[in-house]
Every structure is written in C-alpha cells, then in structure tokens.
Amino acid sequence: MITAAYSGTFDPITYGHYDIIQRAARMFPRLIVAVGLNPAKNPRFNLDERCALIREVVRDLHNVDVKGFSGLVVDFARENGVTVLVRGVRTVGDFDYEKQMAVMNRDLYAELDTVMLAPSPQYAHLSSSLVRELAALGAPLEKLVPPAVIPALRARIGQ
C-alpha cells in the first residue's frame, strides 16, 4: 500500500491546503499531513495547535492522518513508510524550488518520489502568510480557511 505525505508548516491550514489534501487523499490509499516544526518561519500557532486544527479540518477524510515532525522530511518519510511526497505548486518559482527539493530528497532517500499538484483555480492565490496578514487587518476569512480555523485565527491574530 502506498503511503504519501503532504508536508508543510500549515500556519494556518487554508482552503488551498485542504484542496491539495482532498485531491491527494483520492489518489493515495494513505495520506499523512506532515506538519513541520520550522521556527525560522516564526509560526503563529505551535506545532500541537496546527496539528489539532488540521485534524479537525480533515476529520471526515478517513485515509488521512496528521503528524508533526522536526528535521528532514526524508527522515520523516523513511520513519513512516512514505514513498511519495505531495507538494502544492502555485507559481513557476514554487515549481523550480520544489523540483530542486525533489531531486535532493530522492538523492537522500532513493525510494521517495515527489508528486506536484497545481491548486484548483479558486485557491491559486492563497498562502498562509497572506491569510495571516488579512486576518490581522480584519478581512473576512470565510473564503480563505475552513470554518474550524476562523475562531483560532481571530483569537491569535485577527481583530
């Protein structure tokens, strides 16, 4: 059985992330949302909070697990039997970066392939940093993040 992982910081999870999760969950029998601990990104939510929000959002997707990790994604993949990494790519810049990472990850773990998914058009503009900025300015969030995320985001960042 193929196990795939969709890794990221997810600070917070957006509808763009959820779109990729839903589509990857249809493609693979098991999908792990691998939530990275990346202090360099200065996350607004800690790792446990991000994992809890994602678990709430994906609760109806029965082949999806959520796990936090730190360190290299290839180590996470090896430890969890992951053979496919799923990556969302919005721009040419994203693609160039993800291609470079895919080659490096494959060099570090030969059994690991990378599948890149373009976002659905209605989510192509979304990023967690944009959502955080809009939340801080009091913008409506209903089209940006799943309902479970809105109260947490407003409490942490928004007005």
Side-chain angles (χ1 to χ4, degrees):
M1 177 170 77
I2 294 173
T3 299
Y6 176 35
S7 63
T9 308
F10 307 103
D11 186 46
I13 184 173
T14 69
Y15 273 130
H17 296 129
Y18 187 55
D19 172 58
I20 299 290
I21 291 167
Q22 288 178 304
R23 291 165 49 211
R26 288 192 303 267
M27 295 171 71
F28 301 102
R30 181 170 183 237
L31 176 68
I32 302 171
V33 179
V35 185
L37 180 65
N38 187 348
K41 286 194 171 185
N42 190 26
R44 303 316 187 275
F45 295 95
N46 69 40
L47 185 62
D48 290 337
E49 291 168 330
R50 288 180 278 136
C51 287
L53 284 171
I54 297 166
R55 282 187 189 102
E56 177 63 24
V57 170
V58 304
R59 72 180 181 275
D60 293 332
L61 301 175
H62 302 292
N63 64 329
V64 177
D65 294 322
V66 180
K67 294 184 178 187
F69 77 99
S70 63
L72 295 174
V73 74
V74 293
D75 292 336
F76 175 88
R78 195 178 286 111
E79 291 163 10
N80 289 277
V82 171
T83 56
V84 177
L85 281 182
V86 175
R87 303 299 300 154
V89 291
R90 292 171 297 187
T91 66
V92 172
D94 285 351
F95 179 81
D96 286 343
Y97 174 78
E98 293 298 343
K99 179 183 169 196
Q100 181 180 17
M101 292 306 298
V103 171
M104 180 55 67
N105 288 338
R106 180 108 172 135
D107 185 54
L108 294 171
Y109 178 33
E111 290 79 25
L112 190 62
D113 285 307
T114 300
V115 172
M116 296 183 207
L117 297 177
S120 294
Q122 67 268 35
Y123 306 122
H125 64 290
L126 284 182
S127 70
S128 292
S129 57
L130 177 61
V131 167
R132 290 192 309 267
E133 185 177 334
L134 290 168
L137 295 170
L141 301 174
E142 290 74 17
K143 293 182 180 179
L144 308 176
V145 297
V149 177
I150 294 173
L153 190 55
R154 288 276 184 229
R156 184 63 45 91
I157 297 171
Q159 306 201 355

